[in-house]
Amino acid sequence: MSIAIVIPNRDTTKLCGKLKEFLPEQQIEVWPTIKHPEHVEFVIAWNPPPKSLDPFINLKAIASFGAGVDSILNYEGLPQVPVSRIVDPGLAQDMARYVLSHVLAHQQRHREYFFKQDNCDWRPRRARGDNRVLILGAGHLGQACASLLALNNFTVTTWSKSKRVQEGVHHIFSQDDLKACLADTHYIVNLLPLTPCTEGILGQSLFSNCKQSPLLINVGRGAHLDEGALLEALSQELLCGAVLDVFRQEPLDIAHCFWGHSKITVTPHISAVTDVNTVVEQLVENCRRVQNGQDMLHCVNLSKGY
């Protein structure tokens, strides 16, 4: 059995070293220099380039290097093998803190005072009373964000296709309920999985239902956002601002208008950075499970996309 790492444009030296510590008996190679692709049975992937998985004719499993799997599931001609993802409790905590920090920063008018400081402008204002948060997506990360916001006295609603029960959090799952909630919410947090049904969901049809000029926080995927619709919604004040941590193209092009937009905060995909130690622990466990003919942990439903 051989392991292939297919993670383009990233230094995988540390990952390889740690994997070899725990799996000294395994041949571990990094794409594109795979000497014997026919020996590869286990692939660790993130944004696999087109055709990169095709030579692995004896592949048994694919393990995502992170919590997301959309780049793998969107691979044209994806091998019909199980796909797993990383589940990191620390990642959920980091995500929840990121979201809470930006909600609080908006409530306390931090961005406004940063601009005022540049102009020596001493005009104090009360903090905003906005406290209703809508989270799109009620999975592991969405629930973590909902819990932390609720603990900080925000009124939190989560929306997903299936029913959920979470203490201190209201849950909705119909389109009608979503439309009604959008009309009354102050913060929209996107944590949906990226599927054909959710691509572009942050667009004109959603923004047109916003009546309170909420702040949008996108920590899902860049492809969830219709960038033109966002700019239009900001100009029409359907949204008061946006915090964007994910983009269709990463790194974000230096000429992109988001960088200099007065109502947009850009962060470089840092809302939840996976700990390599946690990743390696789960990758090693799943590799051993594949060797022993067992099901991997944290497999995704290929038909649902998450």
Side-chain angles (χ1 to χ4, degrees):
M1 179 176 176
S2 176
I3 299 172
I5 298 174
V6 185
I7 306 176
N9 304 317
R10 181 178 295 194
D11 184 356
T12 58
T13 304
K14 186 175 181 180
L15 173 61
C16 288
K18 287 187 171 291
L19 287 171
K20 287 176 181 177
E21 285 182 28
F22 294 98
L23 300 168
E25 74 283 4
Q26 297 294 344
Q27 176 72 24
I28 301 173
E29 296 183 286
V30 179
W31 181 89
T33 55
I34 310 293
K35 293 181 180 179
H36 297 286
E38 69 276 10
H39 294 167
V40 172
E41 296 182 3
F42 189 81
V43 164
I44 299 167
W46 185 259
N47 291 324
K51 307 295 184 181
S52 60
L53 305 181
D54 296 1
F56 307 136
I57 58 175
N58 293 310
L59 189 62
K60 292 183 178 178
I62 300 172
S64 173
F65 184 64
V69 294
D70 48 277
S71 69
I72 296 172
L73 300 187
N74 290 335
Y75 180 91
E76 186 175 351
L78 180 68
Q80 296 302 298
V81 298
V83 177
S84 69
R85 66 186 186 91
I86 297 298
V87 174
D88 182 355
L91 185 146
Q93 182 183 71
D94 289 348
M95 179 67 78
R97 288 175 173 174
Y98 176 95
V99 170
L100 175 64
S101 70
H102 282 285
V103 169
L104 289 174
H106 180 263
Q107 193 179 57
Q108 298 298 318
R109 303 181 184 273
H110 286 183
R111 188 176 179 88
E112 178 181 327
Y113 291 123
F114 291 153
F115 286 124
K116 285 184 175 180
Q117 180 177 343
D118 288 340
N119 297 298
C120 304
D121 184 349
W122 187 282
R123 283 184 295 168
R125 299 178 67 187
R126 285 188 58 131
R128 294 182 174 93
D130 305 349
N131 76 327
R132 292 187 293 277
V133 184
L134 169 64
I135 299 177
L136 306 178
H140 183 60
L141 298 179
Q143 290 184 41
C145 291
S147 292
L148 188 58
L149 286 160
L151 283 172
N152 283 270
N153 299 317
F154 287 93
T155 301
V156 184
T157 300
T158 56
W159 176 78
S160 66
K161 284 185 176 180
S162 55
K163 292 184 179 180
R164 301 278 186 173
V165 176
Q166 185 177 1
E167 185 177 355
V169 176
H170 179 58
H171 183 72
I172 58 176
F173 59 94
S174 74
Q175 289 291 334
D176 288 342
D177 285 344
L178 174 61
K179 184 176 180 179
C181 188
L182 284 166
D184 200 38
T185 198
H186 299 122
Y187 301 95
I188 302 170
V189 180
N190 176 52
L191 272 164
L192 289 166
L194 181 61
T195 68
C197 293
T198 64
E199 183 172 358
I201 192 171
L202 303 177
Q204 192 276 334
S205 61
L206 186 143
F207 299 148
S208 65
N209 292 304
C210 298
K211 307 303 180 185
Q212 302 296 325
S213 193
L215 176 72
L216 172 68
I217 301 175
N218 187 20
V219 282
R221 286 288 182 266
H224 284 129
L225 179 65
D226 180 331
E227 295 184 356
L230 170 63
L231 295 172
E232 185 66 21
L234 291 171
S235 69
Q236 293 182 1
E237 298 187 347
L238 293 173
L239 299 173
C240 68
V243 176
L244 307 177
D245 187 55
V246 289
F247 306 90
R248 288 179 180 268
Q249 177 186 330
E250 296 183 1
L252 186 64
D253 190 281
I254 59 173
H256 201 291
C257 65
F258 285 173
W259 285 114
H261 199 291
S262 62
K263 294 183 178 181
I264 295 177
T265 297
V266 170
T267 58
H269 205 147
I270 46 76
S271 54
V273 180
T274 305
D275 185 320
V276 69
N277 294 306
T278 301
V279 172
V280 168
E281 181 180 331
Q282 293 184 30
L283 292 176
V284 168
E285 173 65 19
N286 276 337
C287 182
R288 288 174 174 159
R289 283 173 168 263
V290 171
Q291 276 186 295
N292 296 328
Q294 299 173 295
D295 292 337
M296 290 192 295
L297 300 175
H298 313 308
C299 281
V300 301
N301 185 314
L302 298 182
S303 61
K304 290 184 177 180
Y306 54 90

